Amino acid sequence: MSETFDEATTLKRRTFVAASTAVAGLPLLTSDRLPAAAAAAASTAAPTPADQLSTVRLTVNGEQRTAKVDNRTSLLDLLRERLDLPGTKKGCDQGACGACTVLVDDRRVNACLTLAVMHQDARVTTIEGLARGEQLHPLQQAFIDHDGLQCGYCTPGQVMSGVACIAEGHTGSRAEIREWMSGNLCRCGAYTNIVSAIEQTAKEA
């Protein structure tokens, strides 16, 4: 009795997940036990209507890039999913953590909060565009020197925000650096070392 109940429950749960995933337009891993109807529904999600698509042209890390995207696509998803630049991280996806920070026309932006279509012909710099070949950007090297990272997930956003912080001239004191970097969260708590890395780079600039 218990086995029959568990089997039925599992099947219903998988059917629900399959249907929900199909509606959301998300990829789905199927198995032999997944009902054929649910698998078919997942694979036949309606395409985005042509009037909801736009061609976006950007200069990303010095290179001209073009992509046709749904008008609702965030700059973050364009960079990660369409332009194969996964260095910019998706954290909270609500603009609260700063993991997705990039530079747009030399200003720091939370890429998860802005639509790609809003930045036609803009210049975008991601973490992949800071180094020059094998030579790291001075702030990237400073993060290593000061051990300004632990798990590393927030590091790309921290570095990009730090580059902007220096360019904006908000490095007069450690307190000022902390204030202007407050939009970037580090769950590992490497804040002291991050401030030291930015402070050092600003002095050497």
Side-chain angles (χ1 to χ4, degrees), residues 50-204:
D51 63 353
Q52 295 179 24
L53 296 173
S54 294
T55 298
V56 179
R57 293 177 302 277
L58 300 168
T59 300
V60 183
N61 300 329
E63 180 182 349
Q64 293 285 334
R65 305 293 298 270
T66 303
K68 181 169 284 189
V69 298
D70 186 307
N71 293 335
R72 299 164 295 181
T73 301
S74 68
L75 178 59
L76 175 60
D77 285 341
L78 171 64
L79 293 171
R80 288 180 56 84
E81 308 300 333
R82 300 297 304 279
L83 302 185
D84 195 27
L85 293 168
T88 304
K89 302 306 181 188
K90 180 176 284 193
C92 66
D93 211 22
Q94 297 177 353
C97 72
C100 65
T101 304
V102 298
L103 303 183
V104 177
D105 293 331
D106 297 325
R107 297 182 62 183
R108 47 181 154 177
V109 168
N110 286 336
C112 74
L113 288 185
T114 186
L115 298 176
V117 295
M118 296 170 62
H119 301 287
Q120 193 72 261
D121 299 320
R123 290 178 295 105
V124 179
T125 305
T126 71
I127 191 68
E128 290 93 343
L130 285 187
R132 294 292 176 262
E134 297 297 315
Q135 183 179 359
L136 294 177
H137 184 280
L139 186 55
Q140 290 176 305
Q141 185 60 56
F143 263 66
I144 296 172
D145 295 342
H146 289 275
D147 197 20
L149 63 154
Q150 290 186 39
C151 80
Y153 195 84
C154 75
T155 305
Q158 297 278 3
V159 170
M160 298 307 298
S161 193
V163 168
C165 184
I166 294 169
E168 293 160 4
H170 298 305
T171 56
S173 66
R174 293 180 67 87
E176 185 179 13
I177 293 171
R178 283 194 294 269
E179 174 67 23
W180 286 90
M181 289 293 294
S182 61
N184 291 78
L185 304 184
C186 173
R187 294 188 182 278
C188 299
Y191 295 113
T192 298
N193 297 347
I194 290 170
V195 171
S196 295
I198 295 171
E199 185 178 43
Q200 171 189 305
T201 306
K203 287 179 180 178
E204 296 175 352

